Amino acid sequence: TLFRSKDDECQLLLLRRKPHAVSGSADKQFTSSHCVGRPHKGAVSTLQWTYAGSHLISGGLDHALVLWSNLLTEAPVTQTVVHALHSSAVLSICPLRGSDAVASGGADKKVLIWSLDKQRLLTKMKMEDRVNSVLQNPVDPNLLLVSVMSRSNQLQLFDLRLQPRHCQLSFSATPPLSLSQYIVPRWAPFGSMVSGGSLDGRVNLWDIRYANIDEPSDTLSVHKARVLCAEWHPASTCEQGVLLSMSSDKQLGLHSFKLRSSQA
């Protein structure tokens, strides 16, 4: 796990869980080490491990993506600037499963897909508003979900097999309010549903198997303030779903539900 650090000589702190650690205080379960180096000219705004787990990619307020290497070895940690093609802060990073590419979204309303091996830009998409999340479908790697901070069509689904890149399906939140940088969607493990927070305390659920729907497939009204995210339990299925929601009302919500047979 990595965190931003305010230390003068580093921007990331690496926490390692000790082998055979037992429950107790954090200092007995983890060891910490600072990753020396400040490749970003400013704060780190987003972090994401690569799928192999050997590298980490960070995005910053300086518009750049940086690849961190040797984090899990005894060799010195190295940082390489991937690119700085965004014209504003990088808000989301998504290493694409099954390829050498990484997708990123930013406050400049752009989604960029970059090849790490070929060191060149593969795709550039201009969105209607700031992009706060880019997520690859956990089942079908060709589907890319983009979340924008607009008043409508906040969630847009793209098929990476198609050229040019046009939105194949879009969803709106209820009520039609702009999403913030801190309200992000989450894919269900089975790949056909998306959960998301809201500004009015609702947990919204969308089913990508239904088109031309201007509102969520279902909503859960459980919080009294904005819902930042709703995480799916890894064992969730299209018949039985389990969600954990986090809200600025200082409460966590645990939701278990079954889909009706007509929806399954």
Side-chain angles (χ1 to χ4, degrees), residues 56-121:
L56 181 126
I57 303 176
S58 61
L61 300 182
D62 59 353
H63 318 166
L65 271 68
V66 173
L67 181 70
W68 299 70
S69 306
N70 301 327
L71 291 171
L72 305 180
T73 68
E74 298 301 324
V77 174
T78 61
Q79 306 97 15
T80 305
V81 175
V82 177
H83 70 73
L85 298 179
H86 285 281
S87 57
S88 190
V90 180
L91 302 181
S92 180
I93 292 174
C94 178
L96 298 181
R97 186 174 72 257
S99 74
D100 69 313
V102 56
S104 58
D108 57 0
K109 307 179 184 180
K110 297 176 185 176
V111 174
L112 305 179
I113 300 180
W114 178 271
S115 171
L116 295 174
D117 288 343
K118 299 178 181 178
Q119 288 294 296
R120 66 182 181 89
L121 184 65

Side-chain angles (χ1 to χ4, degrees), residues 182-199:
Y182 307 102
I183 299 178
V184 294
R186 290 290 186 265
W187 278 111
F190 47 90
S192 61
M193 295 193 72
V194 177
S195 62
S198 67
L199 298 177

